[in-house]
Amino acid sequence: MTGIEIIEEIEAMTLGFWKPSPGAVYPTLKLLEKNGLVRHEEKGWQKVYYLTDKGRLELEKMCMPGQPETLEDVLSIIEGYVEYLKESGLALKVSAESREKLKKIVEELAKLSSSAQ
């Protein structure tokens, strides 16, 4: 992607809540390139950035953390997702199908909670 495409993608991924400035994105791309995590190719007057193999490995590490080790770890993750749903506004756009999934999850959590006594 080009720098502007990265800015637009971040804005889309955050549902418009965050549009990073060019002053944040381009220096970050330079730093990532300096560290061997991305590379660029000149396409006309644009630079198109690509993840390197090293960058891909680092991304996998960041996106695929190890399994939670304790119940507290799991609960912290669930709380994080609940906060994300509330803050992102996604909770306001729940379809009937998603509502049913949420009800089943709540029911399963309630069963687990009562059996843990």
Side-chain angles (χ1 to χ4, degrees):
M1 288 185 193
T2 64
I4 189 66
E5 289 172 329
I6 292 169
I7 290 169
E8 290 169 352
E9 183 67 18
I10 292 170
E11 182 179 23
M13 289 173 61
T14 61
L15 304 172
F17 286 102
W18 180 40
K19 182 177 182 176
S21 72
V25 171
Y26 290 98
T28 301
L29 287 169
K30 281 186 178 186
L31 181 62
L32 291 171
E33 193 165 21
K34 180 181 175 186
N35 290 320
L37 301 172
V38 300
R39 64 178 177 79
H40 79 271
E41 290 180 9
E42 303 278 338
K43 303 256 177 142
W45 53 272
Q46 293 182 316
K47 289 183 180 179
V48 180
Y49 293 88
Y50 301 89
L51 278 174
T52 62
D53 289 341
K54 181 180 176 184
R56 216 174 292 291
L57 286 172
E58 288 299 315
L59 184 61
E60 286 176 15
K61 285 183 204 174
M62 290 171 41
C63 294
M64 298 194 168
Q67 295 291 324
E69 295 182 15
T70 66
L71 176 59
E72 290 305 315
D73 292 344
V74 172
L75 293 175
S76 179
I77 293 167
I78 292 170
E79 286 174 334
Y81 276 106
V82 169
E83 284 301 312
Y84 170 76
L85 287 172
K86 289 181 345 188
E87 291 178 12
S88 69
L90 289 175
L92 301 175
K93 304 171 189 171
V94 177
S95 67
E97 181 181 338
S98 293
R99 194 175 344 288
E100 285 304 310
K101 285 181 183 179
L102 282 170
K103 284 180 186 178
K104 287 180 183 177
I105 291 169
V106 169
E107 289 169 5
E108 289 299 316
L109 288 171
K111 286 179 192 175
L112 285 171
S113 176
S114 63
S115 68
Q117 296 176 357

